[in-house]
Amino acid sequence: MRKFLADYIKKDGNRNVVLLIVYLVIQTAAFSILLPNFMTVSNFQNLMRQSAELGMVSIPLAIVLMTGNIDLSIGSVMGVCAISMARMLRAGLPIPAAVLFTVCIGALAGSLNGFCVAKLHLDGLVATIGTQVMLRGFCYILTGGRSVSGLPSEFTRVSKMYVLGVPISFLLMLAIFAVAIFVMQKTRIGIQVHAVGYNARASRFSGIEADKIKFRLFVMSGCVAAIASMFMLMRFASAESEFANGYDTDTLVAILLGGINIAGGSGNMLGAFLGLITVAILKNGLNHIGMTATYQQFIVGLLIVISAVRLPKKRD
Amino acid sequence: MNKILKRQETLIAIFSLLVFAVFSVCSDNFFTATNIRLLFQQYAVNGICVLGVGIVVILGGIDLSAGSILAISGALGGTLVKMGVPTILSILASVLTGMFLGLVNGTIITKLHVPAIIATIATNYVFRGILVIITGGFWVNNFPKSFTSMVTGRFLGLSNVFWMAMVFLAVLTFVLHYTNFGRKIYAVGTSAETAEKCGINADRIYILGFVICGAMIGYAAMMYAGLYGAISTSGTGASLGTTVLAAALAGGINFNGRGTLIGGTIGMFLITIINNGLIQMRVSEYWINAVTGAIILLALILNAMNAKNAGRDM
Amino acid sequence: MSEPVLQTKGIEKSFFGVQVLKGIDFEVRRGEIMGLVGENGAGKSTLMKIITGLYTNDGGTILFEGNPVVFPDPSKARDVGISIIHQEFNLFSQLSVAENIFLDRKDYRNRYGIVDWKKMYGDAERILRELGADLDVRTLVRQLSVREQQLVEIAKAVSANAKVLIMDEPSAALPDNEVQKMFHVVRMLKDRGVAIVYISHRMKEIEEICDRVSVLRDGRNEGVVEMSKGKVDDVISMMIGREISDYYPHSRRSFGQVVLRVEGVSGQGLEETSLEIKSGEVVGLYGLAGSGTTDFAEIVMGLSRRSAGKVFYKEAEVKRDSIKAAMSAGIAYVPPDRRKEGIIVMMDITQNTVMANLRAYEKAGVLQNKKIYEKVEEHVENLQIKCAGQSQQVLRLSGGNQQKVVLAKWLDRNPGLLILNEPTRGVDVGAKSEIYRMIDKLANEGLGILMISSEVPEVLGVSDRVVVMCRGRVTGEYVNEGIGQDVLLKAASSNAGGEENE
């Protein structure tokens, strides 16, 4: 067992997983001792609802990072999707049709990113900063500056639905995570994604079509952002122009904490999941203590730096 | 001639003039003395920041913590002004704070081997957090008139701050193009590895670039305080990092020792003109971001294409 | 005869316990062009890297003008007068010609750190004019041709008052008609008293320009030859040295149908090349750096664009320019740069082995891990890959075993044609002979094999037929029965039937 653990830690990307588990246990224990309201059913339901959407979008982003890319436009994609959805519902479109259209909008936004990165070969960072600003602009156009509310209750009600006390959105997030873990571990896509991230040239020389993979990942990212935005819309029951603004950084933070290397290749989905849970619990606990969002970000910021430090290896 | 035309700076400058002309024709309110004055003032603070961030990008780095640096430096300098410390000393304190925070960024990136984007996303949070913890999230405002009038004053009809930006542009352009240190910045940006082989201490140059960037932001922070009369410790500068980065990239600065601060300045003007013009044209305010975003994206694509084509003749 | 400017005595160096330099003595005199030759892996570039301070030696001394020296990095070597021009230039593409020559030099800035552009441009112009170069010193280096960039490198050395100039394969990247221009500059430096170390594989150039030649083999001195007409054969035999027949197993076998037929293919670095390979045949494709052999392989494999010509695999045309088309036809390619192109060092043996054949292990989209495990075990066994288990990171394998993993990856697809590009580069002697045995065995099993190599003995030892390329064209084709090594070397440095005039 000790040897297994030692080997596991040595494997690239797992160091953070182990550290995170330890940290997570300490953090949870500390909160439950210090905060009387922390270990309650209603708090956990809240926590799960809040982390569900973040969790969903962090899944494709984690994989995008593994290929050595980045997507900073997720928040804006979510904004456009949620506002479109809200307007469609207000216009009286049946819910299933609105859902379908919203996912299509997400896919379209994702393919715009994919086109810039995989076809025009732009730097992912540069391209998605561009789409981030542009799509946020669309958010303003779509809302006309007013908040879109008055959504049908059949729709908003979904956020209050539970299965065995667990919010539906959280279950869906777990399901997507499970699928992603399965795909990354059990299908060829997993190996190909890591290969592209570690060494794009060598993977091309093995017949792996990196551009195709990248394009599809961005489209996927757009679709998942669309789904996540709907759940967020249910929770808030209204959408305004700044909907989900800054979500891309929050997502990135959770994933980086999980030990996924921004340079591509290493890292795994379990790490991303743990990173997400850690951030969610941390923010929730700090909320109970009465810390504002800025305080929370301060602590999260410190955690990122600590988790990203790579001491130089000795050169041969 | 052909060479000049092909430069991104020229393209963006022509494009900016075109946009300027369109607005002048289409809107009665755009090409008026009042609005032109306003436009130069709107440009000024970001225009100082883009000089610093531009140097960082030329070096191959990125600084997404610019907004938080601005807020901290401004809050500190502003508080000093309110306490009655002479303006010059307060500005100096603000600049030094910016330099120190730049030093922190540069050190984390080079010595701890954290990629610049991660490091500055993180320090953006951390710096902001420290500020809010210290101040309790309050606004720093009600500056003495002696201070604000100095900043809001005009010279030759245009904002003093604009002229300051021009002075800095001239000084830094001189440093980049006519001093040994400046040429080493371009060298390290082109290839840190080659620079090391030539006996240049690349890490040192990189850190100094971040320190200069911090100094510019620290100065801009006091100008912001003077112009707008308040620093919100929790909100000021929230979108500064992205806007300034986009301006630098649009102006032809790229992560590999490409581009000039003049380009970055033109890029910042373009963004300011579009923002201002769309408002003057009474275009629904909500189109502004979308159009700005689309134009930035276009400029970025142009920049990346340029860089790629030029890379090919290597 | 004058004293040597630069001299090494008994230089030793080991990497990972493998000794690559076993006591090298080397010297070069003022105003002399000293050739340095040897096969790949003989230790030429390691020796030069030790002299210029990029590596530290384990034993031996370096004497410069009679005094022992040690340089912490190449810039210090440059400062005392030893400059090196690598195959990959050390230039800043975004800086001007003049700056690349004088960047960060004290003489070109005042005490406030302001650059003296007038002096810099003036001196740069003067140096380049002396070298006979007509360059605008204000242009950015990225806008220059390869030859012009080389001139900037030379000017850099001249400006540092180089007493010794080391040139590593200076003709490799130059077009044909510019080699003479480069020689002209080199001779001019020689006349000024600069000692020049000229490293090259091209015997014709060595013969033409060098005064003396030092030959290295397997990390040892093989001797120094005073060059004059006809001496080049001595150099070649010293370079190769060993008995070929023991080292290379070569079975007699009969060939089958044609597996690959390439008709008049052109593309980047390749002009109207045709080639045929039969099943069971090992064709050696020999050429020096820049001869187009790698371009040929990459075009056949669909890795780079084909502008004209046809490729047939077993009579069926491989139409599309894509690696997928070539792979599904049955062509496999082991690339020359193992770490950048062949393997993914951070991943394990299993993943690397199945990487090119993942679909074969899928069942309803799910990878059959047990099947993968068994198949990879089989490969590990067959190819005798020495490892701690198939989940070992490829990073931690020796060069030879890494190469076997690349081989396993392609054999896993059961190809009909295997292209091996420099299969023994950076591989120790033991693993080399294993790879040669493997090639022989695979050919006996009916594979067509194209082995690209720049090592003559290897080509002659393994191949049934040898094709020689130079400057993107086939310049010779021989059945491998008693052809001399000199024949190949000459064909490889020929000018494709006197097509020098453009």
Side-chain angles (χ1 to χ4, degrees), chain A residues 186 188 201 205-206 209, chain C residues 341 359 362 367 409-410:
Chain A
K186 299 283 178 197
R188 71 190 142 90
R201 188 168 170 81
F205 273 62
S206 302
E209 291 163 301
Chain C
E341 299 164 344
R359 276 180 197 275
E362 279 181 343
L367 291 175
K409 169 168 79 182
W410 289 108

Side-chain angles (χ1 to χ4, degrees), chain C residues 195-463:
Chain C
I196 288 153
V197 180
Y198 193 98
I199 304 174
S200 181
H201 274 104
R202 297 189 173 158
M203 287 306 131
K204 213 178 136 212
E205 291 174 11
I206 294 283
E207 186 175 20
E208 189 177 340
I209 198 162
C210 295
D211 301 311
R212 292 192 296 162
V213 178
S214 275
V215 185
L216 299 188
R217 200 179 75 220
D218 291 336
R220 284 184 217 283
N221 286 103
E222 206 53 40
V224 177
V225 179
E226 297 271 349
M227 282 310 277
S228 56
K229 263 279 174 234
K231 281 292 181 68
V232 76
D233 291 343
D234 296 359
V235 173
I236 292 171
S237 61
M238 282 167 90
M239 259 171 75
I240 294 155
R242 62 176 103 79
E243 284 302 313
I244 290 166
S245 49
D246 312 339
Y247 199 55
Y248 303 101
H250 195 169
S251 341
R252 289 266 148 213
R253 53 188 166 250
S254 52
F255 310 141
Q257 55 163 160
V258 173
V259 277
L260 180 78
R261 195 167 82 240
V262 177
E263 288 178 359
V265 162
S266 301
Q268 174 88 44
L270 198 69
E271 280 169 55
E272 291 175 28
T273 305
S274 301
L275 194 72
E276 241 184 44
I277 301 170
K278 297 194 180 76
S279 89
E281 185 184 29
V282 179
V283 176
L285 183 59
Y286 174 72
L288 303 170
S291 60
T293 50
T294 296
D295 301 299
F296 176 78
E298 291 193 355
I299 285 173
V300 169
M301 202 59 200
L303 285 162
S304 60
R305 292 241 153 262
R306 184 198 313 167
S307 60
K310 287 179 175 174
V311 175
F312 295 91
Y313 178 83
K314 290 186 179 165
E315 299 306 317
E317 188 171 355
V318 185
K319 270 199 181 130
R320 271 190 311 139
D321 282 348
S322 89
I323 181 168
K324 280 216 144 167
M327 278 168 67
S328 47
I331 308 176
Y333 177 52
V334 175
D337 191 333
R338 190 163 54 240
R339 292 176 68 94
K340 285 194 185 134
E341 299 164 344
I343 45 170
I344 294 174
V345 289
M346 299 300 284
M347 297 176 83
D348 63 22
I349 296 176
T350 319
Q351 290 167 329
N352 270 286
T353 306
V354 295
M355 187 163 296
N357 200 20
L358 287 165
R359 276 180 197 275
Y361 296 101
E362 279 181 343
K363 199 168 173 185
V366 179
L367 291 175
Q368 306 298 103
N369 282 328
K370 189 159 167 279
K371 195 173 156 197
I372 290 178
Y373 180 83
E374 284 163 2
K375 197 73 192 290
V376 175
E377 281 297 293
E378 209 180 297
H379 287 301
V380 169
E381 177 124 335
N382 283 343
L383 297 172
Q384 292 168 7
I385 301 173
K386 287 175 206 77
C387 59
Q390 51 166 280
S391 61
Q392 192 178 10
Q393 248 186 9
V394 172
L395 181 67
R396 308 194 185 285
L397 297 179
S398 72
N401 284 306
Q402 289 182 346
Q403 191 68 307
K404 288 181 192 170
V405 172
V406 185
L407 214 52
K409 169 168 79 182
W410 289 108
L411 292 180
D412 198 56
R413 292 186 60 85
N414 292 318
L417 175 79
L418 181 61
I419 305 175
L420 300 160
N421 198 343
E422 301 286 357
T424 63
R425 182 180 284 174
V427 159
D428 60 75
V429 181
K432 264 190 187 181
S433 73
E434 277 184 68
I435 289 173
Y436 298 140
R437 267 205 300 280
M438 214 94 72
I439 293 174
D440 195 52
K441 184 170 152 247
L442 292 170
N444 285 339
E445 287 167 8
L447 251 79
I449 293 176
L450 178 70
M451 188 190 71
I452 299 171
S453 174
S454 53
E455 289 184 43
V456 178
E458 178 173 281
V459 171
L460 289 179
V462 175
S463 319

